[in-house]
Structure formats: C-alpha cells, structure tokens
Amino acid sequence: MIDVLVAGAGPTGVMLAAELRLWGVRVLVVDRDPAPTPVVRAMGLHARSLEVLDQRGLVDRFLALGTPHPLGGYFAGIVARQPEGLDTTYPYVLGLPQTVTERLLTEHALALGAEIRRSTELVGIEQDAHGVTAGLADGSTLRARYLVGCDGGRSTVRKLLGIGFPGEPSRVDTLLGEMRVTASPETLAAVNSEVRKTQLRFGVAPIGDGVHRVVVPADGVAEDRAAPTFDEVKRQLIATAGTDLGVHAPRWLSRFGDATRLAERYRSGRALLAGDAAHIHPPLGGQGLNLGIQDAVGLGWKLAAEVHGWAPPELLDSYEAERRPVAAEVLDNTRAQMELVSLEPGPRAVRGLLTELMAFEEVNRYLIEKIIAIGVRYDLGDGHPLLGRRLRDRPVLGGRLYERMRTKRGLLLDRTGALSVAGWADRVDQVVDPAVDLDVPAVLLRPDGHVAWVGADQAELRVHLLRWFGAPR
C-alpha cells in the first residue's frame, strides 16, 4: 500500500511529494497528462515562497535562473514605490516562468525518492477506515492510506468527493500566449504605454529568443474554456491596440478567467485538497502558484505525522483551519483588485483614491505584505504577537536560521539555555544562542516555519510540544 497518493504533478503536487519524502513517506504522484504543460500562467515567486525554498535548501537553484523585480505596482498594477525595510531577506518578486519552477520542484521530489506516473488518470475514489482506493481510467486501481487532490481548478478529486466549490463564475476572459512579433521594440513600448492607460489586462513583453508573451482581453467569456485560436488573438490585439503588432509563430495559447471559488472544506475522510483544487481566483498579484506551494508546506509535515503515527489529535484538521482562511483572504484581495482594474467610472474613482492612499507607507506596506504572504498569521490562540507568524531569516550560532531548519523538523530557538526538547529530538531540533537577534527568551518553530510558542517556561513548552509534535519518545 502507498502511504500517500497525490493527484496532479503541478507545482503544488510535486512540492507536497517532496515534503512527504523528507519524512520518509512513500508517495506516488499521478497525472493524466503525458508531459508537463508548456503553458506559462505564473511568472514569479514571492517572498514567502522563496523563504520556504530557502528552508529546504533549494532557493539558490531558483535564484540562479530567475530575475528579481521590485515590488512596487503589485497591487492592482497601481504604481507605487516599494516599501522600505520589508521583513524578509527576499524583498522582491523573482521573475521565473512556471514551467521552470515546476521542473526544479519535480527534480527535487524525484531526488528525494518520489515516484511520478504520467498518462495516469484518476476516475474513481472509494474510502474505508484504513485507506483510499483510487480507480484509474485503464481499469486498474491504486491503494493508499491517504489521497491529496492537487489536480487544479477543475479537480477530479474534489468532484468525486462531492466537495462544493462555491463562488463566482468568470465575468471576463483574458487571452495569453507566447509568439513572435515583427513590431519594433519602440513600437511595442509605445503601444503598451498607450493601451495600459485604460486597459491593464494588456501587455506584450519579450521573454527571450525573440519570443514575446502576449496578454489581451478576450471578446466575452468562453463557455467551454477551450484555448483560443491564433486568429482570435490577432483580432483582439487589433480591437484593443489598433494593431496586431505582426504576431506570428505562436508556441502556445491559453485563456484564463476571473472565476473566484473556495472549496467548502479541504478534507473528506482520508482525502484532502491543496492548491487550485481548493481555491481559484484571478491572477492579479501573482499569488496562485505561491499559495499552492505554501499549502503543500503547510500540509506535508502534518500528513507525514499522521502516516508515522505521532500526530497529536486534530493536527491534520489544523491544515484546513489554517490554510483555508489564508486562501479566503487571497480571494478577497483579488476580487478587490479586479474591481480596481475595471473601466467603469466607479471603480476608476476608487482606484484613484487608493493610488493616493498608497503614497502612505503604512498602506503600501500592508497591501504588499498581503501579496507576498509575509503578513500571514495563523490563529493559534491568544498569546504573544509572534504566535502563528513566521520568522524571517537571521544569523544564529553555527549559520543562519533557515539553514538550521533544513532538517525538516521543528526548531526550538532558545536564548536562555535553560530549556529542553528531550523526548522530541527526532521531531524537534534545538539551537541555544544567547546572542540571537530575538526580543523574546525562546520560540518554538514548526516545520513550516511558523511560531508555535513563545516563552521561557519548560512546563509551557512541554504543553506546546505535545500539541504540535505528539507524545515524547
């Protein structure tokens, strides 16, 4: 029997597989497509995603292939300077095509021992007290202790589980593709500048090797969600910009809408949802891929704890309790951003007002921290303001904090030297450093980097070790 069956080999699915393999969980990823998609829907990694990649020893691979871009203008495209002193080592968005992100995460998962089977379509799910039986399109079955649907916005797993997906359907479609153009760079710059004065869902930008990424509003909403034809893209370029810019030789074409939906629940028995299978929203702010990666990091250690038998009661249910509110906030901020890019007089007036407000440092910082997810705080109950938040990287005895977290275990960062994690050493590391830059005596970090406890009392620490890491051994 497989420990965990993951449906969907996109960034969320392979990141989850890697997180599970760090704990020695037997994991199989299945995907109905014969090969990874060439479609590049996402183009960047935000600060919190870069932080978790650093905590897994991966970030240098991504930094080597990406391009850092300033964070000004990432909320509804409103021009604003980047806030100063953001609480992260990565105060930028790393420009990197989704295809590259997926490839690097897949290589990581495979190196850790995950198995990925393509051209394998899941069509049925049956559960019992001991596991999940997944029926495949070829008539065979797979048996696993747990199943996680990471199979996108049209998730088969979600539908088979009967989990509702309420929200709003698309009101507008946008066409997207990669192709060559004959227009000069000067013409492209002039057209982009003129059109984007009134239409923010437009852009033609070079991405290398003479190829350009083209984004243009569609003429209405497609019922079948099929990819557009090249002629449709050319027509919409002419309708929007007055020219087709000499586009030719398309590499791929796609369309996306502004549908906004959130799964009614993230778990049904031994089956769970993550990434776009649990939430979809407009792409404004570039949050979707990042949200999925962070779902995977939030779920991986908890599901591994269940598999290995040391999970405290309700640990696995805390995945939904923590991550679903984060997704709900992302849905709301993208709803707001979609209103702010509307061409209607009312939204344009609100956009003008918000543009003025973003000149205030506090407003600008608040909105940018939402986009890059460093402002996330899980509701772990009453306590210190750090409780439920992640810590930024900082020097600690023997290196950096994030380097010390690469064991995938929890971490007690202790300035007192009087605390102990004896009994939990297989699940929690300890760093004693009286000189560490920390305004509290000690913090207990979970494997996902969020603060589970703040204090100096051994008895209190024991309560929280039991809560998050189970009984001592």
Side-chain angles (χ1 to χ4, degrees), residues 127 147-150 157-158 161 163-166 261-281 291-292 294-296 298-299 303 316-331 378:
Q127 297 194 58
L147 166 69
V148 185
C150 303
V157 172
R158 187 188 65 242
L161 293 173
I163 295 177
F165 204 37
R261 298 185 182 277
L262 179 62
E264 289 180 335
R265 60 189 190 279
Y266 279 22
R267 182 181 180 188
S268 176
R270 288 177 170 264
L272 302 103
L273 303 174
D276 288 353
H279 41 70
I280 59 171
H281 54 84
L291 187 59
Q294 293 155 33
D295 280 351
L299 173 60
L303 187 51
L316 190 55
D317 286 334
S318 72
Y319 161 66
E320 176 180 331
E322 293 172 3
R323 294 302 301 168
R324 192 172 183 275
V326 172
E329 286 201 12
V330 171
L331 265 62
Y378 296 147

Side-chain angles (χ1 to χ4, degrees), residues 103-119:
R103 174 175 63 80
L104 292 174
L105 292 177
T106 299
E107 291 171 356
H108 173 55
L110 291 172
L112 290 171
E115 182 182 356
I116 299 176
R117 294 183 195 171
R118 290 198 165 271
S119 300

Side-chain angles (χ1 to χ4, degrees), residues 38-56:
V39 175
V40 182
R41 291 188 179 275
M43 286 293 291
L45 292 170
H46 284 309
R48 185 56 190 148
S49 295
L50 294 172
E51 288 181 348
V52 298
L53 292 172
D54 192 351
Q55 291 164 6
R56 297 299 180 259

Side-chain angles (χ1 to χ4, degrees), residues 294-309:
Q294 293 155 33
D295 280 351
V297 173
L299 173 60
W301 69 281
K302 297 176 180 180
L303 187 51
E306 284 286 333
V307 169
H308 288 312

Side-chain angles (χ1 to χ4, degrees), residues 89-207:
T89 310
Y90 304 103
Y92 50 79
V93 59
L94 185 71
L96 194 67
Q98 178 178 330
T99 49
V100 177
T101 296
E102 184 175 321
R103 174 175 63 80
L104 292 174
L105 292 177
T106 299
E107 291 171 356
H108 173 55
L110 291 172
L112 290 171
E115 182 182 356
I116 299 176
R117 294 183 195 171
R118 290 198 165 271
S119 300
T120 304
E121 184 177 3
L122 188 151
V123 296
I125 297 172
E126 293 183 1
Q127 297 194 58
D128 56 41
H130 304 288
V132 180
T133 301
L136 305 180
D138 64 3
S140 64
T141 61
L142 290 170
R143 181 74 172 162
R145 296 174 67 183
Y146 291 91
L147 166 69
V148 185
C150 303
D151 50 342
R154 303 179 195 176
S155 172
T156 297
V157 172
R158 187 188 65 242
K159 294 172 183 175
L160 290 172
L161 293 173
I163 295 177
F165 204 37
E168 305 89 52
S170 288
R171 297 174 299 170
V172 295
D173 274 3
T174 303
L175 309 183
L176 174 67
E178 291 181 1
M179 59 203 72
R180 296 183 179 274
V181 305
T182 58
S184 68
E186 295 76 17
T187 297
L188 289 178
V191 170
N192 275 314
S193 177
E194 183 61 30
V195 175
R196 287 183 62 81
K197 289 178 181 177
T198 56
Q199 178 52 266
L200 294 173
R201 291 186 297 118
F202 176 88
V204 181
I207 57 174

Side-chain angles (χ1 to χ4, degrees), residues 3-52:
D3 286 330
V4 179
L5 177 63
V6 176
T12 302
V14 292
M15 185 68 184
L16 176 60
E19 291 292 289
L20 292 167
R21 284 302 304 154
L22 286 172
W23 290 90
V25 172
R26 293 168 296 173
V27 59
L28 170 65
V29 183
V30 298
D31 196 290
R32 67 180 182 182
D33 293 331
T37 177
V39 175
V40 182
R41 291 188 179 275
M43 286 293 291
L45 292 170
H46 284 309
R48 185 56 190 148
S49 295
L50 294 172
E51 288 181 348
V52 298

